Amino acid sequence: MGTGNMRWAAFQDRLRDSLLLRPVLFVLAGLVLAWLALALDDAAPTLLPTGLRFGAESARLLYVTLAGALLTVAGLTFWVRSASVSLAASQYSARVVSGFLEDFYQQSMMSIMLGLFAYVVAVYRVLPVTRESSPDVAVLLGIVLAAGSIVVVMGAIRNAVRSMHPGQLAQSITDVTLLRIRSFAPRQPGVSDSAAEAHETDIPARAGRQVRSDRSGFVQSIDEPAILAAVPAGSTVLVRVRVGLFVLERRPVVRVWTDGEVDVHAVRDAIHVGRHRILALDAEFGLQQLVDIAVGSLSNHGDVGSAFEVLQHIEMVLRELSRRALPRTATTMSDGTRIIRERAFTFDDYVAVAFDRFRRAAASHPSALAPMMTSAALLAEDLEEEGRPGRAATLRAQIPLILATAEASHDLVEADLQRLRARADRLLASTETGAG
């Protein structure tokens, strides 16, 4: 992902995180709409037929009622969202629950209600002061908008219920994670593991120039072109962090070996540190959230069906990662500059994130362990066909690990274990046959 795209994604995340921007915009929109409606009444005072007009006194009474009703509806909408967040907090991790607070639909619904309230107040203010008769268009439009608030409440309730479903949560996280993977890892079909990932990572023995973080927080993005532009040609650059890691203030994030001058400020600014992780810039974070949902489904309710549904999304993310040339451990540029990524995430690391915690949580659920074996085997077969035997072996290695997790559990009867052993033998045999 280029620098401009990273900044745009970070800006979008800040907008989603802002609790004031959208409500303020909708309030301004409500005031502008009121001004336009009143201007239309001034320009065409007899635009509406007699049956749709209101007297000044009846319009004032009606708008007082509407203002109170809109506040009630806004409070109800907020309560629905608060209840859904409370329910989510009892089931999912804080990483997942944070998404409920930033839900675009719910924030928009609350903002619409505030905008409608602003419109009603703006029209009400002119009724008893500057008008002998009611502004017919403005009054009627307020009634129509207030009636529409009922649809807003119904939509908010439906969205809150749907957002609690593990599959719905997993789908939204998967969509963003897949976009992130496609942006930072180019697809290279037919490239073997050794050709794509074998690189020199020797670090010079002498002490290098340390660049330290000027704040504490999560690494949200790393602009490697900016780092390379800030060091002389032929330098060796060791990036000691990756996106998603938490760094402390004054902790070294980059080390540079060079005989020339290094623009330390430019190197430091190339590693953006913020208050929280950004899903749109952090594929590992998305995979962790998917595992959180699956583990929460199993831990709280033993909901194997929901865990299986989330497993399909985890498989989608791993499938996309398996097709991609992930960032290399080291890269040598045309000018001789070498950049080493000390904590770069490999495909093996992603597989560990996807399976390790999930299989431990599913240790007492054979109907969850069996699909995990199948997913690993199917992905391994796909990778063998694409000429990536190293990554296929990583996935095949998960099958005996899943079986060992089941055998170590004291909650499974022998019949369950026998079925899992039979499935493991069958899947390992089929993947080895396909590899051969």
Side-chain angles (χ1 to χ4, degrees), residues 386-406:
E386 295 179 5
R388 295 182 181 272
R391 293 183 178 182
T394 298
L395 286 160
R396 279 199 305 273
Q398 288 296 320
I399 298 176
L401 283 176
I402 295 170
L403 180 59
T405 301

Side-chain angles (χ1 to χ4, degrees), residues 223-247:
D223 188 353
E224 291 189 357
I227 295 176
L228 296 174
V231 301
S235 303
T236 296
V237 180
L238 176 67
V239 179
R240 308 194 65 180
V241 294
R242 70 171 183 271
V243 172
L245 289 182
F246 188 88
V247 297

